[in-house]
Amino acid sequence: QQQVKQSPQSLIVQKGGISIINCAYENTAFDYFPWYQQFPGKGPALLIAIRPDVSEKKEGRFTISFNKSAKQFSLHIMDSQPGDSATYFCAASTPGYQGGKLIFGQGTELSVKP
Amino acid sequence: DSGVTQTPKHLITATGQRVTLRCSPRSGDLSVYWYQQSLDQGLQFLIQYYNGEERAKGNILERFSAQQFPDLHSELNLSSLELGDSALYFCASSERAGSSYNEQFFGPGTRLTVL
């Protein structure tokens, strides 16, 4: 129940296209859903995050869509660029005294072809 | 640059040995989290400290321990190392704990290789 399932495992998109990565969860106690971007040899970097009381959040070319009833959320990268080629992780966390720790999806390796 | 520092960057050691990984959180952040990243297990939460106190434990082996010092830096101690402990170890920090809405910022990681 603590799992976050992410798909696809890998994604190839043409420059200028839309990249879509999906995540699903079971634990309804999750109340914070961030996305992280990781380049080889670097630590994960926070990209964008959403709370379950919001259905969509947009920051530049990055948009999170959130479907609370389906327990799914997704990352959309508009006008994908070769510089976006990286591994993307969705995550979720719960509130409370012991809250805050992130449960990560398995990651999606995105390759944007020029 | 996230503001979180980790040392060393790389560590190569032998089975059965003990190592210490160090993390300095961002200025003002009271909470420190340790994560392990491996090819087969992905990114897994190990342990969390808040202002010197242990708050939560994840999939952390008994051979591993951690602490957070009064200056808020944290150390992760790995002992009786096995080949399977080879992984990237990340530290993350956040301003608060107990709330889910606190952004976690990750350090550059320590790559541990056990031979």
Side-chain angles (χ1 to χ4, degrees), chain A residues 31-32 36 94-97 100, chain B residues 35 37 55 98 100-101 104 106:
Chain A
D31 73 342
Y32 174 66
Y36 281 82
T94 53
Y97 181 80
Chain B
Y35 294 87
Q37 185 174 35
R55 275 292 181 99
S100 296
Y101 305 151
Q104 286 185 36
F106 281 72

Side-chain angles (χ1 to χ4, degrees), chain A residues 29 31-32 36 38 41-46 51-52 89 93-106, chain B residues 33 35 37 39-43 45 48 53-57 88 90 97-108:
Chain A
D31 73 342
Y32 174 66
Y36 281 82
Q38 186 179 26
K42 304 288 186 184
L46 181 63
R51 304 176 191 185
F89 293 93
S93 71
T94 53
Y97 181 80
Q98 294 186 321
K101 59 182 181 286
L102 293 171
I103 310 298
F104 283 92
Q106 286 299 100
Chain B
Y33 307 79
Y35 294 87
Q37 185 174 35
L39 280 172
D40 54 343
Q41 295 291 323
L43 266 164
F45 166 73
Q48 174 196 2
E53 288 184 21
E54 182 185 304
R55 275 292 181 99
K57 267 186 172 177
L88 270 166
F90 289 106
S99 164
S100 296
Y101 305 151
N102 51 347
E103 297 176 341
Q104 286 185 36
F105 297 89
F106 281 72

Side-chain angles (χ1 to χ4, degrees), chain B residues 8-20:
Chain B
K9 270 196 109 158
H10 302 277
L11 203 46
I12 301 174
T13 188
T15 54
Q17 294 299 304
R18 173 190 166 94
V19 296
T20 296

